Amino acid sequence: MTTAQATILTRTPPLRSKLPAVGTTIFTVMSTLALEKGAVNLGQGFPDFECDPLLVNAVTDAMTRGLNQYPPMTGVPVLREAIASKLQQLHGKTYNPNTEITVTAGATQAIITAILAVVHPGDEVIVLEPCYDSYVPNIELAGGVAVRVPLTPGSFRPDFDKISAAINSKTRAILINTPHNPSATVWTREDMLRLEEILAPTDVLLISDEVYEHMVFDAAQGRVHESAARFAGLAARAFIVSSFGKTYHVTGWKVGYVAAPAPLTTEFRKVHQFNVFTVNTPVQYGLASYMADPKPYLDLPAFYQRKRDLFREGLAKTRFKLLPSEGSYFQCVDISEATDMNEADFCKWLTTEIGVAAIPLSAFYGDGFDQRVVRFCFAKKDETLNLAIERLAKL
């Protein structure tokens, strides 16, 4: 082999990154640090307990019955029918399982597919900060422009005057998330009606991230999940996204779905068939079988509310100021009375010195806005939460 040949074979061509500002996510950074330091990981949002054995049995049964080959691109019919039935029962909205429901490889894939399907270069997409870290890169990969509108600092309620002011002739879509990650706020009926009113005279599409739909607390106070499916003016323009991983404690299975009007679903599926094509067959059949009993998702709010209350009771003994946790499995705290450090430095210190990992809210803002608030995840065993509380009491 000549020197020239060796050079040709070993040279990696340079690339111009499509996401030059993107590095390792804060979730990976904090989880790696937690593992290194032996810390209780309340940073990344996943359970440390097992799912219902009946669900595992249902998937295993599907495997042993030979349901292991490609399913339909759109998802197995029995699962799409179960999803449509659930949406009808919970929200009174009828979706055609053949033309308006698509099974996806988790909610993250669902969101990027929706964005790729409808956003053209130069289109603007409104995101409400703080927001989940995949939203903006998804928009940029589609050639779109992310327009960041802040939720109200402190309360994290939507500021509809700012949302309305951000809409113009270039606006293609708005992305909302309720229950909200990271703040744990839940949009009210009045919020959804206001959004419906603002969007009514426009052609702006809605991508509604509802992965924590079954984690809305304090039902006795009248709080419920107000899905975009409940509002005709929103449902007609919405991709509604949800996650079986979040609902059934199986985040590693990466299965979710999108419900959308047929014209939107048609465009969604054009992209879906080429970026994923289809989703794990036996898991789909197992989920469909398990969904026959609504009790697991109907009982989920009480399940997580008990964990929330346990965790909040313990945190009340620390120097943290607790923010409301209306939904999701997150609890945010104000650290102003506990430290002079910024959010990111405090989270690293907390992981290293106290042995509990959290996530800085500044990681959910494009400009790193620091309001002295960090996020904990309480989707953990009681013993995990109690150990974290014991360590945090040292603050």
Side-chain angles (χ1 to χ4, degrees):
M1 181 181 296
T2 66
T3 302
Q5 287 175 317
T7 302
I8 290 171
L9 291 175
T10 59
R11 177 179 175 272
T12 300
L15 296 176
R16 184 165 63 91
S17 176
K18 286 190 172 184
L19 297 172
V22 172
T24 304
T25 72
I26 188 65
F27 308 105
T28 299
V29 170
M30 296 310 302
S31 289
T32 300
L33 185 60
L35 183 63
E36 176 187 333
K37 300 298 181 180
V40 179
N41 189 355
L42 303 188
Q44 196 164 3
F46 60 86
D48 68 345
F49 47 83
E50 296 301 320
C51 68
D52 187 343
L54 292 177
L55 177 54
V56 175
N57 292 342
V59 174
T60 302
D61 178 66
M63 290 181 178
T64 58
R65 288 192 290 126
L67 299 171
N68 299 301
Q69 305 310 320
Y70 289 131
M73 176 269 288
T74 57
V76 299
V78 67
L79 180 55
R80 285 185 279 115
E81 289 164 5
I83 293 166
S85 176
K86 174 186 165 184
L87 290 168
Q88 172 63 43
Q89 292 171 21
L90 292 181
H91 306 308
K93 168 63 176 171
T94 300
Y95 286 95
N96 185 317
N98 295 321
T99 60
E100 299 183 318
I101 303 287
T102 308
V103 179
T104 63
T108 302
Q109 182 252 315
I111 292 168
I112 190 172
T113 300
I115 290 171
L116 289 172
V118 302
V119 175
H120 295 261
D123 285 350
E124 295 184 357
V125 181
I126 296 171
V127 296
L128 308 180
E129 288 191 317
C131 65
Y132 186 59
D133 66 345
S134 80
Y135 294 174
V136 171
N138 289 177
I139 296 163
E140 293 174 346
L141 285 170
V145 178
V147 176
R148 303 170 187 267
V149 175
L151 297 168
T152 304
S155 70
F156 301 101
R157 307 306 313 178
D159 186 328
F160 290 106
D161 288 338
K162 289 184 178 178
I163 292 171
S164 183
I167 295 174
N168 60 56
S169 60
K170 295 182 179 180
T171 307
R172 173 75 289 196
I174 179 171
L175 229 166
I176 69 169
N177 174 212
T178 179
H180 185 248
N181 175 20
S183 73
T185 56
V186 173
W187 283 36
T188 65
R189 176 174 173 78
E190 290 70 26
D191 290 333
M192 300 300 281
L193 288 171
R194 183 74 178 103
L195 181 65
E196 185 178 46
E197 179 185 10
I198 290 172
L199 297 184
T202 78
D203 289 329
V204 175
L205 298 171
L206 172 63
I207 301 172
S208 186
D209 181 351
E210 303 183 13
V211 298
Y212 301 103
E213 59 176 324
H214 298 299
M215 301 169 206
V216 175
F217 311 133
D218 306 312
Q221 300 175 20
R223 187 174 293 128
V224 297
H225 172 56
E226 297 288 0
S227 172
R230 295 185 170 198
F231 303 86
L234 295 179
R237 67 178 71 229
F239 295 93
I240 295 173
V241 178
S242 194
S243 163
F244 291 112
K246 298 292 193 299
T247 299
Y248 292 138
H249 319 306
V250 286
T251 58
W253 290 8
K254 295 298 293 178
V255 181
Y257 65 84
V258 167
L264 300 186
T265 295
T266 295
E267 294 305 310
F268 180 91
R269 289 175 175 177
K270 288 179 183 179
V271 177
H272 174 79
Q273 69 181 334
F274 293 120
N275 71 354
V276 170
F277 178 58
T278 193
V279 177
N280 187 298
T281 302
V283 167
Q284 288 194 60
Y285 280 104
L287 286 166
S289 174
Y290 191 70
M291 285 181 72
D293 180 7
K295 192 172 187 297
Y297 60 78
L298 294 178
D299 287 350
L300 201 62
F303 173 82
Y304 273 122
Q305 183 169 332
R306 189 190 64 77
K307 289 187 177 293
R308 179 202 67 170
D309 293 347
L310 169 68
F311 191 47
R312 286 177 66 87
E313 183 180 352
L315 289 178
K317 301 171 185 175
T318 71
R319 286 188 290 163
F320 293 136
K321 176 185 175 183
L322 277 67
L323 277 62
S325 177
E326 300 172 346
S328 79
Y329 46 47
F330 300 116
Q331 174 64 58
C332 290
V333 299
D334 187 317
I335 62 173
S336 299
E337 295 182 8
T339 180
D340 291 330
M341 287 182 274
N342 63 39
E343 294 171 4
D345 288 344
F346 177 74
C347 286
K348 291 175 183 176
W349 175 85
L350 191 70
T351 305
T352 302
E353 302 299 329
I354 303 300
V356 179
I359 298 292
L361 244 67
S362 54
F364 296 85
Y365 287 89
D367 62 358
F369 176 52
D370 193 311
Q371 53 197 310
R372 315 297 302 286
V373 174
V374 304
R375 188 201 77 177
F376 293 106
C377 172
F378 55 78
K380 309 295 176 183
K381 299 173 185 174
D382 287 3
E383 51 264 43
T384 303
L385 294 175
N386 285 326
L387 176 58
I389 289 166
E390 179 183 330
R391 292 182 178 184
L392 292 170
K394 301 173 185 177
L395 290 171

